[in-house]
Amino acid sequence: MRTRLLILTSLLSGALIAGATTATLSQQEDNVAADITAGAWLVYRHNFVTDEGRVVDNRAGGISHSESQGYGMLMAEAADDRDSFDRIWAWTKGNLFVRDDGLAAWRWDPTQTPPITDRNNATDGDLLIAWALMRAGQRWDEPELQREARRISDAIVERATIKTDHGLVLLPGVHGFGPNEQADGPVVNMAYWIFPAIVDLGRLSTRFPSKALMDSGVTLLRDARFGPARLPSDWLSLSGDMPRPASGYPSQFGYDAIRVPLYLAWYSRDYPDILEIFASHWKQFGTASMSVVELATATRIAPMPDPGYQAVAALVECSLGRRPDVALLSDFSSQDYYPATLHVLSLMAIAERYPTCLTDFP
C-alpha cells in the first residue's frame, strides 16, 4: 500500500489537491487500478476541467465538444465526485443541447461568436453523455438523471442509427454520413461503438437496440482488418459487400481507431481473436513505439509516444489475461487532453473489468 500511495503522491505533484485524495482512496484500498485512477482523475480535473464545468481540449484551440464533456462526466461519476459531475453536466446541458432533436451539438469554440458554428451532433459524444447520466443516476439514486439518459439514448436510436446490409449501424452524426451524403456512404467510425455503453443503455431503455448494435460492431471489427497489420481503419465505407477504408479519409489506423480496442476490452475479454491483433502489432515494435499506421503497407507514419496510448495497450494485455507494466500505467506525466483522456479511461476499465490484473504489484 505504501508504494501505491507513493505513486499517487507523484501523480498529484503540483496539482495542490492532496487532501481530496485521502478521502477517495479510503474507499478503494483493495483495487490498485482504482487507486491509480483516483489520483489520475484529480490531475485530469486540475488540468482540463474549468470551474464552470467545461472540459477543454488544449490541443484543439481550447474547444470543448460533446465527447470531452461525456468523458469528463464518466470520470467524475467513477470517482464518486458528485460536485464535478454536476458542474460538467450543467455546462453541457446549458451549452450543447441547442438542437431540437434531443442530441448535443458536437463542438463549442470559445473564439467564435456564437461559440457553436456547426450544430451537427457527434454520436459518440451523445452515447458517452447518456451512459454517464445512467451510471450517475444509479450511483446517486437520482431518477431524473436516469430519465435524461433514456431521453438521449432514445434520440440516438431515432436519429443516428440506420439499417444497412451490414446490420444496424451508428452514423457518426445525423448529417453527412448516410448513403446519399457521401459517394461511398454510409460511412461509419468503429470508435463510435462504445461497447459497454451500448450494452448498458440497452438495459436502461427497451427502445435501445443493444444486441443489434453489438452484433454489427463485432462483425465489422472481424471484417474490417486491412493490410499486413490487419488493423481497422479510422473511417469505414459500408457501400459494398465488405467494409473498406472510406474514400476521402486517410487509410490509416490512427487517433480514432486507437479507441476500438479500449472499448472492446472494457466491455469483455470474450473477443481474444480481435484483441490479440492489436496486442501482437504493438508487441512487434514495443508499446513505447506505438504509432499511427498506414494500412496498405503497415508503415508507421506518426509516433504516439504519450503514456495514455500505452495505457490502452496495457488494458488490452489485462483483457488477454496478461499482466501489463504497472509503472507505465502509473506514469501520468504531462500529456495533452486526448492521451490523458485515454489514460484515465483505460485505468477505469481495468478497475471495473480486470481488478485482479494488477494484484501482484508490490
Side-chain angles (χ1 to χ4, degrees):
M1 184 63 183
R2 178 177 180 274
T3 307
R4 288 149 65 181
L5 288 174
L6 287 173
I7 288 174
L8 285 165
T9 300
S10 175
L11 283 169
L12 294 167
S13 177
L16 303 178
I17 43 182
T21 309
T22 303
T24 304
L25 283 178
S26 65
Q27 301 174 19
Q28 308 194 55
E29 290 183 354
D30 59 345
N31 188 324
V32 177
D35 288 352
I36 301 173
T37 306
W41 158 245
L42 294 177
V43 177
Y44 186 96
R45 185 181 69 185
H46 176 78
N47 289 341
F48 304 112
V49 183
T50 69
D51 289 343
E52 61 186 352
R54 186 166 78 86
V55 183
V56 177
D57 185 341
N58 67 307
R59 290 289 290 177
I63 69 166
S64 296
H65 26 70
S66 57
E67 170 198 281
S68 68
Q69 297 302 118
Y71 285 142
M73 291 165 64
L74 272 179
M75 294 176 198
E77 180 277 325
D80 200 15
D81 184 349
R82 180 68 187 269
D83 177 69
S84 294
F85 180 93
D86 286 346
R87 287 188 291 111
I88 298 169
W89 169 229
W91 189 93
T92 304
K93 189 174 183 179
N95 290 275
L96 297 186
F97 281 88
V98 296
R99 297 166 53 93
D100 60 4
D101 60 1
L103 302 176
W106 79 277
R107 176 186 172 98
W108 192 95
D109 187 342
T111 69
Q112 300 295 313
T113 304
I116 293 176
T117 58
D118 181 355
R119 295 172 67 92
N120 202 11
N121 75 307
T123 302
D124 64 334
D126 296 314
L127 277 170
L128 290 164
I129 292 168
W131 190 31
L133 286 165
M134 174 187 174
R135 289 167 54 122
Q138 292 172 341
R139 175 183 289 275
W140 295 310
D141 191 22
E142 290 284 356
E144 178 58 29
L145 296 180
Q146 297 277 77
R147 283 191 288 271
E148 293 277 17
R150 189 176 294 107
R151 176 184 61 79
I152 297 169
S153 68
D154 288 348
I156 292 169
V157 176
E158 181 177 347
R159 301 284 288 150
T161 62
I162 62 168
K163 294 180 180 179
T164 72
D165 291 341
H166 303 271
L168 186 74
V169 302
L170 290 164
L171 290 174
V174 170
H175 304 292
F177 300 95
N180 300 318
E181 296 173 295
Q182 294 204 25
D184 59 347
V187 168
V188 300
N189 186 318
M190 292 310 302
Y192 285 39
W193 265 258
I194 306 170
F195 292 105
I198 288 169
V199 171
D200 281 355
L201 290 174
R203 299 186 181 111
L204 174 71
S205 172
T206 57
R207 293 188 59 197
F208 195 85
S210 58
K211 184 181 185 305
L213 290 173
M214 287 295 298
D215 288 347
S216 67
V218 171
T219 298
L220 287 171
L221 287 182
R222 289 192 169 125
D223 290 342
R225 301 176 180 180
F226 306 111
R230 302 176 64 213
L231 294 170
S233 179
D234 285 344
W235 295 90
L236 289 178
S237 165
L238 302 184
S239 62
D241 293 337
M242 292 292 287
R244 64 181 186 273
S247 62
Y249 299 87
S251 179
Q252 66 183 31
F253 172 83
Y255 295 101
D256 279 328
I258 188 71
R259 291 176 293 179
V260 169
L262 191 166
Y263 294 145
L264 187 61
W266 193 344
Y267 169 60
S268 174
R269 65 171 80 239
D270 292 339
Y271 304 95
D273 61 311
I274 301 174
L275 292 166
E276 191 66 68
I277 296 293
F278 302 100
S280 297
H281 174 76
W282 291 325
K283 284 180 180 178
Q284 182 179 356
F285 302 102
T287 55
S289 299
M290 291 175 70
S291 63
V292 176
V293 178
E294 189 275 322
L295 292 172
T297 62
T299 301
R300 295 180 297 143
I301 57 177
M304 302 171 103
D306 300 87
Y309 301 118
Q310 297 172 51
V312 176
L315 165 62
V316 171
E317 288 295 292
C318 284
S319 75
L320 292 168
R322 301 190 288 256
R323 185 175 180 275
D325 183 342
V326 182
L328 179 152
L329 272 174
S330 60
D331 177 13
F332 205 76
S333 56
S334 178
Q335 51 187 334
D336 292 321
Y337 154 79
Y338 187 60
T341 298
L342 300 187
H343 200 149
V344 180
L345 295 178
S346 297
L347 289 167
M348 286 173 56
I350 293 172
E352 292 179 8
R353 289 289 192 261
Y354 313 105
T356 62
C357 184
L358 311 182
T359 53
D360 292 334
F361 182 51

